[in-house]
Amino acid sequence: MYTTLNLSTSADSNLSDYQRLQELSHRSIKVSIIVVLGVVITLGNIAVLLVITSSVDGWSRNSRYLLLSLTAADSAFGLLVMPLNLWVSLLKDYTDGPDALCHVVAFCNATVYSTCMYTLATISLERYIAVFYPLQYTSMMTRRRTLLLIAFSWCFPPFLLLPISFPDGIIEVHFSTASLVCNPSYSSNVGYSLSLTCFIFFPCSIIMTYANLRVWCAAKRQRLKLRKYNCARRSRHNVASRVLVPVLAAYYTCWTPCMAAMIYNAVSGSSVPEWIEFVVVWLPTSNGFLNCIFYFWINRSFRRKFHLVLQRLALAVCPELANTLGCCSTSNTHFVSVIRDNNNSVHERSSSVSSTCTLLTLA
């Protein structure tokens, strides 16, 4: 009898040790993925900030303001969301219940996620107005209204998500060992959870889908006209399909699983499997890196300005290396200064002109 008890106790101990080792292995893999993702997002958005803080050919002042807002929201993924959750995962005892720190971290997570969606919707709206209302663009998208839209994108989400920050509020928050994130328990208040999707995800998705599809259809009609009346333009790249379609595809791929898991958790009261939860929770952060590709690196003017910024950094940081490579010769230095002066002296063009220059035949 005692032998049987000892064997069962030993088997349970071995099983618990194996489970503990497995959990530590999974946790190390998850931490590595989060760190790599955070570094990639941060470096990509730093490169973007180096460029759009100065003037870029073809980008109006309003476009730069909106893209700066998007870059700041994407940078918050790598500079705020990921460090806070990793810090909590190291400090927090997994056996503890909800605490004030976890509520604050969950509030920051939800705020950054929502701000990013609102900013993407604002950019789509601005481009829609620039393309379809070029003559009224200056009066419709003034500097003041653009800044108000940006302020709304950053201020409305914290106001809407404020109940998450209260430890004794209507939303319970627990640290999830599956996703290494302080997750709100949306099943504790189904009505509030569904209202979040109604005020955040669905409106932003409708605006983005409608605006981008309308612009894409207009560009397609123009492309067909060019093929009909000008055979030389048949080899021209379809810029609208190369930018607008990937933007929408990346948006829905990154955000839809997270919203679906949140609604499922709120309605059913149960959570999804461990690795599925980890993927759907952290997948939206990858949109912060994809935005750098679709909104910036595809743009030729942005790439040219980025190369110019790298030349300036090489001349400032390591002039000996630049001299060795022939980058700081008199002619090259004069060329760099001329480009810089031209960029700074050129008056900012209205985005309605730059956005509709390829859609003139629509009239």
Side-chain angles (χ1 to χ4, degrees), residues 90-111:
L90 293 176
L91 294 181
K92 187 174 176 59
D93 186 1
Y94 296 154
T95 60
D96 290 342
D99 54 14
L101 176 61
C102 222
H103 276 268
V104 173
V105 174
F107 171 74
C108 293
N109 296 343
T111 299

Side-chain angles (χ1 to χ4, degrees), residues 34 73 75-87 105 108-113 180-181 281-282 285:
I34 294 172
S75 301
F77 285 133
L79 298 176
L80 183 65
V81 172
M82 294 178 177
L84 281 178
N85 288 278
L86 289 178
W87 180 49
V105 174
C108 293
N109 296 343
T111 299
V112 173
Y113 279 37
L180 300 183
V181 169
V281 168
W282 287 104
T285 59

Side-chain angles (χ1 to χ4, degrees), residues 189-256:
N189 195 314
V190 179
Y192 178 76
S193 305
L194 296 178
S195 65
L196 288 181
T197 58
C198 293
F199 281 102
I200 297 176
F201 178 70
F202 289 120
C204 296
S205 301
I206 292 172
I207 293 174
M208 285 193 63
T209 304
Y210 178 78
N212 285 285
L213 287 182
R214 283 292 307 276
V215 173
W216 179 81
C217 292
K220 185 178 180 181
R221 290 196 301 269
Q222 183 234 13
R223 184 176 175 83
L224 292 176
K225 289 182 179 181
L226 290 176
R227 286 183 176 181
K228 182 178 180 180
Y229 297 107
N230 191 352
C231 297
R233 293 292 187 94
R234 290 184 179 181
S235 61
R236 184 182 180 185
H237 296 292
N238 192 347
V239 179
S241 298
R242 191 175 59 179
V243 177
L244 301 180
V245 174
V247 164
L248 281 181
Y251 173 80
Y252 281 108
T253 301
C254 293
W255 293 98
T256 303

Side-chain angles (χ1 to χ4, degrees), residues 21-55:
L21 290 175
Q22 190 177 22
E23 290 176 358
L24 290 176
S25 176
H26 289 178
R27 184 175 178 275
S28 62
I29 295 174
K30 294 174 184 177
V31 170
S32 301
I33 294 174
I34 294 172
V35 170
V36 171
L37 188 59
V39 171
V40 169
I41 292 173
T42 303
L43 293 179
N45 284 281
I46 287 176
V48 170
L49 284 174
L50 289 175
V51 176
I52 60 178
T53 49
S54 58
S55 60

Side-chain angles (χ1 to χ4, degrees), residues 160-174:
L160 189 64
L161 299 166
L162 191 61
I164 298 178
S165 62
F166 298 121
D168 298 326
I170 59 176
I171 299 294
E172 298 179 0
V173 175
H174 296 274

Side-chain angles (χ1 to χ4, degrees), residues 1-15:
M1 178 178 178
Y2 290 108
T3 304
T4 305
L5 290 176
N6 289 333
L7 289 175
S8 61
T9 303
S10 177
D12 293 339
S13 177
N14 292 333
L15 182 61

Side-chain angles (χ1 to χ4, degrees), residues 46-156:
I46 287 176
V48 170
L49 284 174
L50 289 175
V51 176
I52 60 178
T53 49
S54 58
S55 60
V56 180
D57 292 341
W59 289 12
S60 68
R61 181 176 55 187
N62 291 341
S63 298
R64 288 175 56 200
Y65 286 158
L66 292 171
L67 292 174
L68 276 172
S69 177
L70 177 64
T71 306
D74 290 338
S75 301
F77 285 133
L79 298 176
L80 183 65
V81 172
M82 294 178 177
L84 281 178
N85 288 278
L86 289 178
W87 180 49
V88 174
S89 67
L90 293 176
L91 294 181
K92 187 174 176 59
D93 186 1
Y94 296 154
T95 60
D96 290 342
D99 54 14
L101 176 61
C102 222
H103 276 268
V104 173
V105 174
F107 171 74
C108 293
N109 296 343
T111 299
V112 173
Y113 279 37
S114 303
T115 300
C116 185
M117 282 192 282
Y118 274 111
T119 305
L120 288 171
T122 304
I123 292 175
S124 299
L125 180 63
E126 187 265 345
R127 293 186 174 183
Y128 173 82
I129 295 175
V131 170
F132 288 97
Y133 302 96
L135 299 180
Q136 295 85 2
Y137 178 86
T138 305
S139 59
M140 295 175 65
M141 291 297 297
T142 61
R143 178 176 178 270
R144 180 174 179 272
R145 289 179 179 177
T146 302
L147 295 178
L148 285 177
L149 285 174
I150 294 174
F152 176 81
S153 301
W154 283 88
C155 297
F156 183 68

